[in-house]
Amino acid sequence: MHYSHGEEEFSKTAHSAAVVKLSRGLVNTVVLLSLDKDLNWEDADWGSWEEKESDEAVQEESVSAPHSASWLQDCVLSLSPTNDLMVIAREQRAVFLAPKWKTGDSGREEMQLALSWSGALNAEEGECVSSAICIPLASQKRSSTGRPDWTCIVVGFTSGYVRFYTESGVQLLAQLLNEDPVLQLKCRTYEIPRHPGVTEQHEELSILYPCALVTIDGFSLFQSLRACRNQVARAAAAGNENVQPPPLAYKKWGLQDMDSIVDHASIGIMTLCPFDQMKNASILGGYHATLKGSPPAMSQYITVGAGPFSGFYYAIEGSSQPLLSHVALAVASKLTSALFNAASGWLGWKNKNEEEPVQKQKPKMEPATPLAVRFGLPDSRRHGESICLSPCSTLAAVTDDFGRVILLDVARGLAIRMWKGYRDAQVGWIQVLEVLNERELDPRSAPPSPQGPSRVAQFLVIYAPRRGILEVWGTQQGARVGAFNVGKHCRLLYPGYKIMGLNNVTSQGWQPQTQQVCLIDAATGSLRTVNVPFHLALSDKKSERARDMHLVKRLGALLKAKELSSETVETEAKNILQDIKYPAIKKQALESLLSSKNVPLSSLTSIAQALLDSLKGQDPEGVDEALLQLCSSQLKLLQLYTDIEKIHSEGAGQDSTTADTMECEEGAVRLSRGQDSDWIQLGAVEESWDLQSVSPWWQQVRSECSQAESPGAALLAALVGHSVAKSRVNQLAEKKTLLSCPAPRGAAGGAVSTSRITVRGLLEAGRGGVADSVAKWVFKQDVVPRLLKAALGKRGAAESQEEEGEGEEGSSSDKPETEGEGRGFQRAAVCQRFPCSLDPDLLFAHCCWEYVVQWNKDPEEGRYLAWSVEHLRCICNAHIQHGIAVMMWSTFIVKRFSAAAFLMDKVGKAPKDRLCRRDVGMGDSAMTSFLGSCSQLLQTLMEADVGSDEMGVPLLEVEDPWQCVEGPASIVELALEQRHVHYPLVQHHYILTSILHAIMRFSIKTVKPLGLFDSKGKNAFFRDLTTIQLLPSEDMDPTLVSLRQQFLLKVLSGWVQSVPRDDSCPPLALLPQDQAWPALAVELAPVLQVSADVLRRHLVCELYNYGLDPLAEEDPQDLKNTDVPLSRTGRLVSRVIDALPENHGQYGLALHLVEAVEAMGAPQ
């Protein structure tokens, strides 16, 4: 919270002992009031607000006599939104307080609100102050820095007068607008619309009376107050007191249809959309209501009180056409009498040196224009106490006598939320902009964001004096983001406006420093402001993650700032990295920081070191290993770069005989300069070594490289070390070095770009480590199985062509290599480095296993299981294919498959999504795909079982590095150890998977899948496929056969109904999996002991019924029984003719039909 020109802060306090320490940094102490303990509202001397008592006396008084602090609750209190003036009034007296720097008891300069004016404000006998607000007025000077020119104090009295004063107590205007007491004074200042299409709201001062509402246009008021202030200054200088104030235009509305009104909110001008216009027309005008023209602009007002609890008023602006034609006269009569009066004839005046004489005769009162309530929220027992409008004018918070705080939707007129247990509550709003960088607040230092306006969050602040607690809530359905104990004798101050006198042009260069919500504590004399971070408005379930993402955005904006010093960037970056909670987001922030070109090397090293120290100081079990490894490796790289840079900077002054030294220290590579003789100390060469031994230095470097998670960088480090050792030693040492330090081998990282892969990790992973790493890369890259198969096919073709073309010189050396061929040879080169580990069958087996593992983690992704089965079908060796399929079924499939079968048998139809998720762990669409993949898996398993009898068991070969390495067995080795399955049992399960898949695919009802099998068949399900089980015999119960036939007929009918019949997709252009259903039904028919001809006839009939004649014409040739009983058909038609009367219209046609049938049945 800043005070003058953004430099001086209100955070300085006068009494440090009185400062309430609050948690979470949400409420900050701003200023302290200097209050005298002997102050009495009945005293005549209002200038006695001075510091006379010590801090101990103030504390003792606040503890021993808390009731003395309740005086503030009986006062009229107002604070300027710019924090430059406070008004405290009671009855006829008032004091004006202004901030000043004073020397406190501690000897330092502190900000305090000191007395600037005090006195009586009443001009009429018996009138008292009932309401007051402080309105800062904008400066008209171009050199203004955002502070107001001056502040006007508007005071409402019980006599109905409204008077305007300067900061020094000089009265500028006095106007009697109504003879009833002034209840509330509220102001609305100009705000730039955040989005196109939003109605621009004008400035306004609204004055509420018990039965009337007066609104004064802000522009007119601003000009009148400026003119009055200038005339007062000229009159005081010239000694002339006869000054005529300028006129003041206003509107006066008589609020009807409410028993009592205690508070109001002026929403502003709004326009109904066409739908709302027609809706209101129907409600107000009935069936015969008509519309004329566009919807008129209306000023909306909301009042709270009783009968109804809250009322919504709409006053049509200007001469716009009314909403309904039949109420045009009534509305027009109201609008034409709206008052825009020049009130110069009855404006009072008061000089600062002389009291104005009491008026003997009150001015004439203008009648109010009646304004009926449009609608309200009726509640006979509830009485509203206050209403507070949100900054965006879309929501309003209402308090009542039941201790509730109700949130209203202003546009819809609905109560959308309620808080209970807040008796005598005081409310306010806080609107927070998403600021990525603090300097963006100044338009001169940062250009506007090209992505549009920043996001805005709104918070509702509720002060419950009965409990002495201040709460901050997110709207509309947000959770409570803060709660603080602040005492029971405080007042919550929410102006709800900013600086008056701005418009869409002058406000562009203004950035006024205004506060939104303040809390004044009469017991301690402290004034606190409430500041809410933007990230608290984000989702409560992911608030920490959302907060971290907000900090990452802030870091990005910080790195783009050009005016900030490196020390500031370093400090802010350290704080942001410390505040981020999630390791993945902290890693992202560190990477963006390291990739920035604006941060110097020293700052990067300091930031990385600070983060590393912070991670090492935490609990080792709670530290993310990947983040720790990244931070450590990046710090080592920065230190290495620093050493190299230092050596290069000193290179000019060094002797040419010096050499660069590479050393390994705690896993980090160091460079230093030394003489040639120092290289002997490296351990690379020593006379006592055996020529066949390995250098200890090289062994250490090799060990570090083998553990590096970046294989490319490890290979580069090994090559550099080998090159340095080779070039810097003498001839004998070079000979020994070349013998003892074998050249570094290529790492697998060039082929596979996976995270956390090392040479040591590949060796320790066993014989399947390379294929497993490649399979993980295939999954991450989302490579389609057919593309991988095509790539491996090109590899084999390339190898065969290479063998055939070895004898031909220059046959293809001059041909340019295309891009596709280049990629194919790159893949071939990678596979040549690991010819055994990346054998196609081994690679497909690992890819199949990787996809099924990932599917098991997320069963909703049915594509993973489908691709796993596709990889399985790509395996050529039947033994490997058989073993992988058995492992997949027993490990991942059978449990979910049995759950799906029992669920569908229980409900007797395709289950709904909720039941599928509850019992099977996936949605209905995912379960359909799952059952289809199960059918493909069992079909592949049966084919592999048959093919394994004609194929030998493969011999698994490995590369040399894995010959002596002990590690876990590979997936292929485990697959070859699996026992052979019982083929009839697999076929039995395949029939069940096909039935379940058909039920889900075509949403077949009234069928229990397990009820299609006898007791033996049911007992055989879900058993180990390698065991022998009792299966159903060929003699099946006719009832079961009939149920099976009905089911297959339903499958065919469902398939026909699913065939598209529009012109865009012809029936013959079906997908292969869709075309397979009729063939599958016919294939299952003999196994289920159902006649295939019955199914074919039903299919043909269904196709003709649904207009799919091209498909129907393809099936009759497959029918085995094509004989038609023509003789019986003729007799049947004759019976029909006998039942028809001769005068029937179809009688003649029936006779011709009988003759045609007899002719067809006659022998040729």
Side-chain angles (χ1 to χ4, degrees):
M1 193 68 192
H2 303 287
Y3 175 58
S4 178
H5 303 287
E7 299 293 336
E8 303 163 336
E9 297 184 354
F10 270 175
S11 59
K12 301 181 178 180
T13 60
H15 304 291
S16 59
V19 177
V20 181
K21 302 298 183 183
L22 301 177
S23 64
R24 294 180 64 179
L26 192 60
V27 179
N28 302 323
T29 299
V30 183
V31 296
L32 292 178
L33 296 174
S34 301
L35 302 179
D36 184 9
K37 72 171 185 176
D38 296 329
L39 178 63
N40 190 339
W41 287 99
E42 301 298 329
D43 294 342
D45 186 10
W46 280 69
S48 61
W49 288 31
E50 300 175 358
E51 298 180 86
K52 296 182 180 180
E53 299 296 327
S54 62
D55 295 343
E56 291 78 5
V58 174
Q59 290 181 351
E60 181 179 358
E61 178 192 5
S62 62
V63 174
S64 61
H67 64 277
S68 62
S70 61
W71 61 268
L72 192 64
Q73 306 300 326
D74 302 327
C75 298
V76 175
L77 192 63
S78 178
L79 177 66
S80 171
T82 55
N83 285 329
D84 53 4
L85 188 66
M86 175 184 284
V87 174
I88 304 177
R90 183 182 180 186
E91 297 180 354
Q92 294 87 14
R93 299 178 179 272
V95 292
F96 298 170
L97 305 175
K100 293 184 179 180
W101 288 100
K102 289 188 177 182
T103 303
D105 297 337
S106 59
R108 59 179 181 178
E109 291 289 327
E110 296 172 338
M111 179 65 72
Q112 298 182 10
L113 286 176
L115 182 67
S116 63
W117 181 88
S118 65
L121 296 177
N122 63 313
E124 297 287 334
E125 183 178 357
E127 67 175 1
C128 299
V129 176
S130 58
S131 181
I133 60 172
C134 302
I135 304 178
L137 301 181
S139 174
Q140 301 297 306
K141 300 178 181 179
R142 294 186 177 181
S143 60
S144 176
T145 57
R147 302 300 301 172
D149 187 15
W150 62 288
T151 301
C152 177
I153 299 96
V154 186
V155 182
F157 293 86
T158 56
S159 61
Y161 268 98
V162 177
R163 297 185 175 92
F164 302 82
Y165 301 88
T166 64
E167 304 102 319
S168 57
V170 177
Q171 179 177 312
L172 299 177
L173 283 174
Q175 188 163 358
L176 181 63
L177 301 173
N178 202 57
E179 293 184 349
D180 296 325
V182 175
L183 299 181
Q184 285 289 342
L185 293 172
K186 292 192 176 182
C187 181
R188 181 176 69 241
T189 54
Y190 179 79
E191 290 284 346
I192 301 177
R194 286 183 41 80
H195 304 286
V198 177
T199 305
E200 189 176 55
Q201 302 297 337
H202 300 288
E203 297 179 321
E204 180 185 76
L205 174 66
S206 59
I207 307 164
L208 179 67
Y209 294 93
C211 296
L213 177 64
V214 176
T215 60
I216 303 176
D217 180 66
F219 179 77
S220 174
L221 178 63
F222 178 76
Q223 299 297 334
S224 300
L225 292 178
R226 287 185 63 249
C228 289
R229 186 166 178 263
N230 295 336
Q231 291 183 14
V232 167
R234 296 191 191 99
N240 182 15
E241 298 183 0
N242 296 326
V243 178
Q244 185 67 27
L248 190 64
Y250 68 95
K251 297 180 183 179
K252 187 175 181 181
W253 304 98
L255 305 179
Q256 299 178 346
D257 304 325
M258 283 193 67
D259 295 342
S260 64
I261 300 175
V262 296
D263 200 358
H264 79 290
S266 177
I267 310 303
I269 299 176
M270 52 89 66
T271 303
L272 293 177
C273 65
F275 176 80
D276 290 337
Q277 183 188 11
M278 291 185 288
K279 179 189 68 174
N280 293 341
S282 300
I283 295 175
L284 298 178
Y287 178 76
H288 298 286
T290 58
L291 298 177
K292 290 185 178 181
S294 60
M298 298 180 292
S299 295
Q300 183 182 7
Y301 307 101
I302 301 178
T303 59
V304 295
F309 160 67
S310 63
F312 290 76
Y313 294 87
Y314 295 87
I316 299 181
E317 292 290 322
S319 58
S320 300
Q321 295 180 1
L323 185 63
L324 301 176
S325 59
H326 73 283
V327 295
L329 295 179
V331 176
S333 62
K334 298 177 183 179
L335 293 176
T336 52
S337 59
L339 302 178
F340 293 88
N341 300 311
S344 58
W346 27 275
L347 289 171
W349 195 252
K350 177 181 177 181
N351 189 275
K352 64 178 181 178
N353 298 323
E354 181 180 357
E355 294 292 334
E356 180 185 2
V358 179
Q359 297 181 2
K360 297 181 180 180
Q361 183 178 0
K362 291 185 178 180
K364 178 183 177 182
M365 298 300 305
E366 295 290 342
T369 302
L371 187 63
V373 64
R374 173 71 61 83
F375 61 90
L377 300 179
D379 193 336
S380 58
R381 299 177 53 194
R382 190 183 305 272
H383 292 250
E385 295 181 346
S386 66
I387 181 171
C388 185
L389 185 64
S390 66
C392 63
S393 300
T394 58
L395 303 173
V398 180
T399 62
D400 59 21
D401 58 345
F402 286 170
R404 268 61 164 171
V405 178
I406 303 174
L407 187 65
L408 297 182
D409 187 324
V410 171
R412 297 184 296 168
L414 300 176
I416 59 178
R417 192 173 184 181
M418 177 183 291
W419 291 267
K420 299 181 180 180
Y422 295 89
R423 193 170 297 275
D424 300 330
Q426 304 170 25
V427 296
W429 293 87
I430 292 181
Q431 182 170 279
V432 184
L433 290 174
E434 182 185 22
V435 180
L436 302 180
N437 189 352
E438 298 298 334
R439 294 182 63 86
E440 291 181 358
L441 290 174
D442 188 357
R444 295 168 295 183
S445 61
S449 174
Q451 301 178 355
S454 302
R455 294 185 296 176
V456 174
Q458 289 188 354
F459 298 91
L460 179 64
V461 182
I462 305 177
Y463 169 59
R466 298 288 185 95
R467 295 184 290 165
I469 187 173
L470 182 74
E471 296 181 348
V472 181
W473 290 81
T475 53
Q476 300 177 8
Q477 304 296 331
R480 189 177 71 172
V481 299
F484 313 96
N485 296 320
V486 294
K488 298 183 178 181
H489 304 287
C490 302
R491 285 282 296 274
L492 189 70
L493 304 178
Y494 172 67
Y497 56 92
K498 294 182 181 179
I499 298 179
M500 178 175 285
L502 301 178
N503 52 43
N504 58 348
V505 177
T506 58
S507 60
Q508 296 292 336
W510 277 68
Q511 292 296 331
Q513 302 293 333
T514 58
Q515 52 83 19
Q516 299 187 64
V517 175
C518 287
L519 187 76
I520 181 172
D521 190 350
T524 61
S526 60
L527 183 65
R528 305 177 181 90
T529 183
V530 183
N531 298 317
V532 187
F534 175 82
H535 65 81
L536 294 180
L538 304 176
S539 173
D540 359 321
K541 296 181 180 180
K542 301 179 181 179
S543 57
E544 288 189 359
R545 181 178 296 274
R547 175 180 178 273
D548 289 351
M549 294 305 298
H550 180 74
L551 292 175
V552 170
K553 292 182 180 179
R554 184 177 179 182
L555 177 63
L558 181 71
L559 297 177
K560 294 179 182 178
K562 300 180 180 180
E563 296 83 359
L564 298 180
S565 61
S566 58
E567 293 81 6
T568 304
V569 174
E570 179 180 342
T571 304
E572 290 293 331
K574 288 181 179 179
N575 295 334
I576 291 176
L577 287 176
Q578 293 294 334
D579 292 340
I580 295 177
K581 303 298 182 184
Y582 280 81
I585 301 180
K586 185 173 291 189
K587 179 181 178 182
Q588 178 184 351
L590 179 61
E591 291 174 347
S592 64
L593 190 66
L594 293 172
S595 61
S596 175
K597 299 180 180 180
N598 300 330
V599 184
L601 177 63
S602 59
S603 299
L604 290 177
T605 305
S606 177
I607 294 171
Q609 185 64 51
L611 179 58
L612 183 62
D613 296 341
S614 174
L615 294 176
K616 291 183 177 180
Q618 300 176 9
D619 185 8
E621 297 181 356
V623 177
D624 185 73
E625 184 179 354
L627 177 62
L628 182 63
Q629 182 68 22
L630 173 66
C631 187
S632 176
S633 60
Q634 294 297 327
L635 182 61
K636 293 175 184 178
L637 183 61
L638 291 172
Q639 292 173 348
L640 177 62
Y641 183 83
T642 304
D643 295 339
I644 295 176
E645 191 178 49
K646 183 178 180 181
I647 291 175
H648 279 264
S649 62
E650 298 174 356
Q654 297 290 339
D655 194 340
S656 60
T657 60
T658 60
D660 296 342
T661 305
M662 292 182 63
E663 299 177 354
C664 292
E665 298 179 0
E666 299 180 356
V669 181
R670 288 284 187 177
L671 281 181
S672 60
R673 282 191 172 273
Q675 299 295 330
D676 290 342
S677 59
D678 296 338
W679 282 92
I680 305 299
Q681 300 177 4
L682 285 175
V685 177
E686 190 172 327
E687 292 291 341
S688 61
W689 291 350
D690 185 6
L691 294 179
Q692 302 299 326
S693 65
V694 179
S695 165
W697 175 82
W698 176 253
Q699 185 65 32
Q700 186 179 6
V701 174
R702 190 172 185 177
S703 176
E704 293 295 335
C705 292
S706 65
Q707 300 179 33
E709 296 182 1
S710 178
L715 177 60
L716 178 61
L719 292 173
V720 170
H722 186 270
S723 176
V724 170
K726 180 180 178 180
S727 60
R728 291 296 185 179
V729 295
N730 53 36
Q731 184 176 4
L732 176 62
E734 180 177 28
K735 178 180 178 182
K736 291 185 177 181
T737 301
L738 294 177
L739 291 174
S740 60
C741 297
R745 300 173 180 176
V752 185
S753 178
T754 58
S755 60
R756 303 184 61 80
I757 181 173
T758 63
V759 175
R760 175 178 293 183
L762 286 177
L763 294 175
E764 294 177 353
R767 299 182 175 183
V770 174
D772 184 65
S773 299
V774 175
K776 287 181 169 58
W777 176 86
V778 169
F779 172 77
K780 290 183 178 180
Q781 298 298 323
D782 207 17
V783 179
V784 181
R786 57 182 177 82
L787 294 181
L788 181 61
K789 184 177 181 179
L792 295 177
K794 291 182 179 180
R795 163 200 166 187
E799 291 177 353
S800 60
Q801 291 178 4
E802 182 179 355
E803 294 176 357
E804 294 176 358
E806 286 181 354
E808 301 177 3
E809 297 181 0
S811 60
S812 60
S813 58
D814 297 334
K815 296 181 180 180
E817 181 181 316
T818 62
E819 182 179 0
E821 294 175 349
R823 292 176 181 174
F825 284 114
Q826 288 177 3
R827 287 189 290 265
V830 172
C831 294
Q832 286 177 1
R833 197 174 286 272
F834 300 100
C836 301
S837 297
L838 294 182
D839 181 79
D841 281 356
L842 272 65
L843 183 57
F844 282 125
H846 280 272
C847 290
C848 171
W849 195 256
E850 178 65 23
Y851 270 99
V852 75
V853 168
Q854 297 298 333
W855 169 82
N856 188 58
K857 295 178 181 178
D858 187 7
E860 289 292 334
E861 289 290 341
R863 176 171 57 94
Y864 293 164
L865 182 59
W867 284 12
S868 175
V869 176
E870 285 192 40
H871 282 293
L872 178 67
R873 298 180 70 88
C874 293
I875 299 176
C876 297
N877 190 277
H879 293 275
I880 300 177
Q881 193 179 52
H882 172 273
I884 295 294
V886 171
M887 294 168 59
M888 287 175 59
W889 176 263
S890 60
T891 306
F892 302 106
I893 305 298
V894 67
K895 185 177 180 180
R896 295 184 186 272
F897 175 69
S898 61
F902 288 130
L903 174 62
M904 297 171 68
D905 189 72
K906 180 180 179 181
V907 299
K909 59 180 181 179
K912 295 183 179 180
D913 185 81
R914 177 180 60 84
L915 297 177
C916 295
R917 295 183 186 276
R918 185 193 66 183
D919 292 5
V920 191
M922 64 184 75
D924 53 354
S925 59
M927 196 168 82
T928 305
S929 175
F930 163 68
L931 294 174
S933 299
C934 290
S935 300
Q936 295 291 330
L937 174 63
L938 292 178
Q939 187 178 11
T940 304
L941 179 57
M942 290 188 293
E943 296 174 356
D945 183 64
V946 174
S948 61
D949 297 336
E950 304 174 356
M951 190 178 300
V953 178
L955 297 177
L956 301 180
E957 299 179 356
V958 295
E959 291 81 7
D960 294 341
W962 282 274
Q963 292 290 348
C964 301
V965 174
E966 295 182 0
S970 67
I971 295 296
V972 178
E973 292 175 341
L974 295 176
L976 294 177
E977 296 176 359
Q978 301 298 315
R979 295 185 300 170
H980 279 274
V981 297
H982 184 45
Y983 185 90
L985 183 59
V986 178
Q987 186 184 32
H988 189 57
H989 282 81
Y990 171 73
I991 295 173
L992 181 60
T993 58
S994 301
I995 293 174
L996 298 181
H997 187 206
I999 294 175
M1000 292 297 299
R1001 174 64 178 82
F1002 303 115
S1003 300
I1004 301 176
K1005 299 180 179 180
T1006 64
V1007 57
K1008 292 183 177 294
L1010 297 181
L1012 301 178
F1013 301 88
D1014 58 6
S1015 58
K1016 293 181 181 179
K1018 294 179 181 177
N1019 294 331
F1021 284 130
F1022 319 124
R1023 304 286 184 178
D1024 187 0
L1025 298 181
T1026 60
T1027 60
I1028 300 177
Q1029 303 290 333
L1030 291 177
L1031 298 176
S1033 60
E1034 295 181 359
D1035 297 332
M1036 186 60 59
D1037 186 4
T1039 305
L1040 288 179
V1041 175
S1042 176
L1043 292 176
R1044 293 175 176 180
Q1045 178 175 315
Q1046 293 178 11
F1047 169 74
L1048 293 178
L1049 295 179
K1050 290 181 180 180
V1051 171
L1052 294 176
S1053 299
W1055 176 79
V1056 173
Q1057 295 175 11
S1058 66
V1059 174
R1061 288 176 292 276
D1062 53 349
D1063 297 336
S1064 59
C1065 182
L1068 296 178
L1070 294 175
L1071 296 176
Q1073 59 267 26
D1074 293 332
Q1075 293 180 354
W1077 281 105
L1080 178 63
V1082 174
E1083 178 186 352
L1084 295 178
V1087 182
L1088 297 177
Q1089 302 180 14
V1090 177
S1091 173
D1093 274 2
V1094 175
L1095 301 182
R1096 291 190 179 97
R1097 291 194 190 99
H1098 178 78
L1099 176 61
V1100 172
C1101 294
E1102 287 292 300
L1103 291 173
Y1104 278 122
N1105 288 338
Y1106 283 90
L1108 300 174
D1109 295 10
L1111 292 178
E1113 294 171 357
E1114 297 178 359
D1115 291 325
Q1117 58 267 25
D1118 296 332
L1119 294 175
K1120 297 180 180 179
N1121 185 11
T1122 58
D1123 295 334
V1124 180
L1126 295 177
S1127 60
R1128 295 182 181 181
T1129 305
R1131 290 196 297 268
L1132 177 61
V1133 175
S1134 300
R1135 295 282 182 91
V1136 174
I1137 294 176
D1138 294 340
L1140 290 176
E1142 294 184 0
N1143 57 353
H1144 192 274
Q1146 302 295 333
Y1147 188 81
L1149 178 62
L1151 292 177
H1152 291 295
L1153 180 60
V1154 172
E1155 295 176 358
V1157 172
E1158 291 178 352
M1160 293 173 62
Q1164 299 294 332

